[in-house]
Amino acid sequence: MSTISPEQRFDIITRGLQEVLGGDAIKAILAEGRHPKCYWGTAPTGRPHIGYFVPLTKIADFLRAGVEVTILLADVHAFLDNLKAPLELVKHRTKYYEFVLRSVFTSLGIPINKLRFIEGSSYQLTREYNLDNYKLCAIVTEHDAKKAGAEVVKQVESPLLSGLLYPGLQALDEQYLGCDFQFGGVDQRKIFVFAEEYLPKLGYAKRAHLMNAMVPGLAGGKMSASDPNSKIDFLDSAEVVRSKIKKAFCEEGNIQDNGLLAFAKAVLIPISQLRLERARGETLEDTEEGKEAAGDQKPFAGAGAPEGTIFTIDRDEKFGGPTHYSSYEELEKDFAAKNVHPGDLKRAVGDAINHLLDPIRKAFEESKEWQEVVALAYPDPSPKDKKKKKEKVYHPPPPGKGKNAKQADTPNPGSAAAADVAVPPPGSDVAHAAVEAAKQQNGLA
C-alpha cells in the first residue's frame, strides 16, 4: 500500500509533462491502491543524444510514485523504420543503447534494479504477436498507418511497407508488455492516438499516454540523432561539447528560438530540482534513489548560492558577479531583459552538460566491452582497409609495336626516306619476301 495519497502520486507522475491522454484511467488505478505499470521505448538507430535526459529524468518521478517501469529496446522497430539501422547492425546497436541508458540512469541516481529492460524481438517474433499484427493489418488502412507514423517514421517519397507496420507494432507493445500507460515524446502523439483507437478493436484495453516536450536542437528545430550539428552525443568530449555550445544559436534577448534556454528548462533545472529534493529526503516510494549514483550529485548551483538555488550563471565581478536562480522563469526573464549575456549562458550550460556527461564518459573509458560494441554498432563509413583502385599509367609501345607500328614502319609519302625506298609491285617474289620479313620482325610469323 502506498504511503502517499493517490492525488499526490498522480501529481508526481504527471508534473512537467506537455500532455496527458487518459489521465482518469491512471487516477482510477491509484485510487484502488495499485501500482501503475508503464513502458518507455526507444528504437536503437542513430547514436542517442543528450535530449534523452528529458524522458530518462522523468522516470525518477515514476519510481517515486511507485510506478513499475519497463524500458523497451525496440530492435525490430529499428529495422522496420526504413532501414535506419540495417539488420546486421541492430544487435550491436541494441547493446550500445543498453550501455548508454544504464550509464545515464546511474549518473542520475535512478536505481537500475527497479527497471525492467527488455528487447522487442524477445516477444515480437512469437506466433501470438504476429497473429495480432495480421489482425491489425486487416483493419488498418494505408492512410491511417502512414498518418500515425508521420512524426516518427522516416518519411520518404515511396514509403516501404515496413514503415507502415511500425505504428501497429508499437500499439501492440502496450498489450504484450502489460502496461497501464505508455510514456514518450510529444512527437509520438499520433501513434498514441492510433493505439487508443485500434487496440480496443482487437478486444484489448485502451491505455493512457503521457508525453514530454521535445528538446530543440542547438541550431533550432528538432534535436536529431541523424543531424550531428543539432545535438550533443553522450560520449562527446568536453572540448567537443564546448565547441558545439559555442556555435549554438543564442541571440541576445531572444527567448523564443533559443535551444540553450530550452535545454536548461527541460533538462538542467529538472535534474537540479531532483537533486535538491533527494537531498531533503523527498524520494517518496523510491527509497533507493541516489544510493548507487555515479558522479557529483550536486544541483547546478554555484558556490555561496542561497538555499533552493537550481541554476547559477557565473560571471566576473566587473560584469555583476554570479546570479543565482530558484526557477526557470527567473532565468528566462533575466535573459529577455538582456541581463544575461549569451556568452555567459553558453558557458553555464556547457559546464552543466559536461558535469552531467563526466560519469558517463568515465564509465565508457572503463568498459572495454562497451568500446568494442560502439565500434561494431557504428562502424567507420569509410574503412581504411578498403582497396584503392590502381591508377592506369600509359606506357607507349616500343618502336614498331602497337597501333603506331604501321606508321613507324612506313615512311610518309613524299619524304626523303620514301623517295629512297623502291616499292616492289604487288604479287612479286620480292614483295612476298618483304612481307615475310616484316612478319618475322614483328613477331607474327
Side-chain angles (χ1 to χ4, degrees):
M1 183 66 68
S2 175
T3 58
I4 56 177
S5 71
E7 292 76 19
Q8 286 177 304
R9 294 173 71 194
F10 183 78
D11 288 343
I12 294 167
I13 290 171
T14 57
R15 70 173 180 174
L17 296 176
Q18 181 164 327
E19 188 174 3
V20 175
L21 298 176
D24 289 342
I26 298 176
K27 289 179 180 179
I29 293 171
L30 296 174
E32 295 173 5
R34 294 192 289 117
H35 294 281
K37 297 178 180 180
C38 90
Y39 100 78
W40 173 83
T42 181
T45 53
R47 291 172 65 137
H49 51 73
I50 59 174
Y52 279 64
F53 272 122
V54 177
L56 302 187
T57 300
K58 183 58 189 173
I59 287 173
D61 279 344
F62 294 158
L63 295 180
R64 286 179 175 187
V67 177
E68 298 177 15
V69 180
T70 294
I71 306 298
L72 173 65
L73 298 165
D75 50 350
V76 173
H77 287 80
F79 171 67
L80 291 177
D81 189 359
N82 282 295
L83 299 181
K84 277 185 180 178
L87 191 58
E88 60 271 17
L89 295 182
V90 169
K91 181 178 180 180
H92 300 305
R93 292 187 179 183
T94 301
K95 191 66 177 176
Y96 176 79
Y97 266 60
E98 185 170 356
F99 270 116
V100 170
L101 295 178
R102 287 180 178 273
S103 179
V104 173
F105 280 130
T106 302
S107 74
L108 293 173
I110 296 174
I112 296 175
N113 64 324
K114 283 199 166 188
L115 305 174
R116 178 177 67 145
F117 287 82
I118 187 168
E119 294 182 15
S121 56
S122 66
Y123 64 89
Q124 290 170 344
L125 303 181
T126 62
R127 178 183 181 278
E128 294 76 16
Y129 187 95
N130 277 280
L131 185 57
D132 275 340
N133 179 35
Y134 295 146
K135 291 178 181 178
L136 266 183
C137 290
I139 59 176
V140 176
T141 66
E142 176 190 1
H143 173 271
D144 285 356
K146 189 174 181 180
K147 179 182 176 182
E151 300 296 325
V152 178
V153 180
K154 183 178 180 181
Q155 298 300 297
V156 294
E157 186 175 347
S158 298
L160 298 174
L161 181 60
S162 59
L164 298 177
L165 294 175
Y166 194 110
L169 300 188
Q170 186 168 336
L172 288 176
D173 290 340
E174 297 180 357
Q175 173 67 24
Y176 281 79
L177 290 174
C179 75
D180 298 303
F181 69 87
Q182 184 181 170
F183 172 53
V186 72
D187 61 335
Q188 307 265 341
R189 192 183 194 281
K190 291 180 180 178
I191 291 182
F192 292 164
V193 172
F194 175 94
E196 291 185 5
E197 177 182 354
Y198 281 101
L199 278 187
K201 292 181 179 180
L202 294 182
Y204 296 137
K206 176 181 176 181
R207 269 72 176 188
H209 296 94
L210 277 57
M211 288 160 273
N212 60 262
M214 303 301 293
V215 180
L218 300 178
K222 181 180 177 180
M223 185 176 288
S224 170
S226 61
D227 181 3
N229 295 319
S230 75
K231 55 98 177 184
I232 292 174
D233 190 286
F234 280 114
L235 298 180
D236 277 346
S237 67
E239 293 74 19
V240 170
V241 170
R242 283 191 286 268
S243 175
K244 289 184 177 181
I245 292 294
K246 186 177 180 179
K247 296 175 184 177
F249 177 75
C250 186
E251 183 182 30
E252 187 175 17
N254 185 346
I255 61 174
Q256 299 300 324
D257 303 304
N258 194 318
L260 298 184
L261 273 179
F263 188 82
K265 179 182 181 180
V267 177
L268 301 180
I269 288 177
I271 290 176
S272 219
Q273 187 67 44
L274 194 76
R275 291 173 173 178
L276 283 175
E277 292 170 349
R278 186 188 302 156
R280 296 193 294 260
E282 299 173 1
T283 60
L284 305 174
E285 294 198 9
D286 189 2
T287 57
E288 297 180 37
E289 183 184 313
K291 289 184 178 180
E292 302 295 329
D296 186 359
Q297 295 296 301
K298 295 179 182 178
F300 304 115
E307 186 177 351
T309 298
I310 56 176
F311 198 72
T312 295
I313 298 287
D314 276 320
R315 295 179 296 191
D316 193 281
E317 289 297 336
K318 64 181 179 181
F319 297 119
T323 307
H324 309 291
Y325 299 98
S326 59
S327 70
Y328 169 75
E329 288 71 26
E330 294 175 3
L331 173 61
E332 184 183 85
K333 184 178 178 180
D334 254 9
F335 191 86
K338 300 184 179 180
N339 294 327
V340 175
H341 189 273
D344 294 325
L345 178 64
K346 286 185 176 185
R347 184 164 51 254
V349 171
D351 289 345
I353 290 174
N354 276 323
H355 182 80
L356 280 175
L357 298 185
D358 279 341
I360 300 170
R361 290 187 290 235
K362 185 173 184 292
F364 175 74
E365 292 168 359
E366 294 176 350
S367 174
K368 185 177 180 181
E369 184 182 0
W370 189 356
Q371 294 168 25
E372 292 174 348
V373 166
V374 70
L376 294 170
Y378 303 98
D380 186 346
S382 303
K384 296 179 180 179
D385 60 350
K386 188 176 181 180
K387 293 183 179 179
K388 295 182 179 180
K389 293 183 178 179
K390 292 184 178 180
E391 295 182 4
K392 293 183 178 181
V393 180
Y394 175 70
H395 297 285
K401 302 289 186 179
K403 64 180 181 179
N404 295 323
K406 184 176 181 181
Q407 182 179 351
D409 293 339
T410 306
N412 291 328
S415 68
D420 293 337
V421 176
V423 180
S428 67
D429 292 338
V430 176
H432 178 73
V435 172
E436 293 300 318
K439 288 184 178 179
Q440 289 179 4
Q441 181 181 356
N442 293 324
L444 300 175

